[in-house]
Amino acid sequence: MILEPLGLPFPQVAALIAALRQRGETVATAESLTAGLVTAALTEVPGASAVVRGGLVVYATDLKDRLAGVDADLLAEHGAVHPDVAAQLAVGASRRCGADWGIGLTGVAGPDTQDGVAPGTVHLGFAGPGGAQVRTVELDGDRHAVRAAAVRVALEHFAGLLR
């Protein structure tokens, strides 16, 4: 089970899936930093297929443009770890997968900096019926800890958007 190593309680993720079902809405992801862990966490819940449309793993920078529709000029100017990239990943996930909501994640898990961005920097994008927003967090720990925390923060914030 993917939820336990990530420190996510099953009831919390199940409640998120139930909220989407109750609203009649769907979600998709475009993940870089987490490489599909958000989608994996969501689909641990039986019945998730009713609301999870899919996910794009766009670990390589060029795939952020080609698969998720992130502006190539933005990537060239600011690199892959930028708040606007997270927002465009979320919008791209929603559009490319035909979902009501999109979640996009980009960041640096470490141990090294990337494009001058320190390890632990994570940008979370959320796109939905009310538009797109970004949340930036600084997370502590090694690669595993940063990635796990990014998944937790993304799902907790998304659950808050559904309330």
Side-chain angles (χ1 to χ4, degrees):
M1 184 177 234
I2 191 85
L3 297 177
E4 291 169 9
L6 295 175
L8 283 164
F10 182 85
Q12 178 182 338
V13 181
L16 175 58
I17 295 297
L20 283 167
R21 286 184 77 138
Q22 183 176 8
R23 294 166 64 110
E25 295 175 342
T26 57
V27 64
T29 65
E31 301 178 63
S32 179
L33 164 80
T34 49
L37 290 173
V38 172
T39 305
L42 289 169
T43 57
E44 284 286 317
V45 177
S49 60
V51 298
V52 178
R53 293 280 302 152
L56 306 168
V57 175
V58 288
Y59 209 66
T61 299
D62 65 309
L63 294 182
K64 290 170 182 60
D65 169 32
R66 291 195 334 212
L67 296 180
V70 175
D71 181 50
D73 292 335
L74 171 66
L75 292 166
E77 183 176 346
H78 295 289
V81 183
H82 189 272
D84 292 343
V85 172
Q88 288 188 21
L89 285 171
V91 170
S94 174
R95 287 183 180 159
R96 301 285 167 106
C97 295
D100 299 297
W101 290 92
I103 302 172
L105 294 95
T106 186
V108 182
D112 300 319
T113 61
Q114 179 181 334
D115 298 327
V117 179
T121 302
V122 177
H123 304 294
L124 310 157
F126 303 90
Q133 64 175 264
V134 176
R135 179 168 181 207
T136 298
V137 294
E138 298 294 330
L139 303 171
D140 294 322
D142 63 10
R143 283 182 64 78
H144 173 76
V146 168
R147 289 165 38 106
V151 174
R152 283 192 307 273
V153 172
L155 292 180
E156 288 168 359
H157 187 77
F158 182 54
L161 294 174
L162 297 178
R163 289 189 192 111

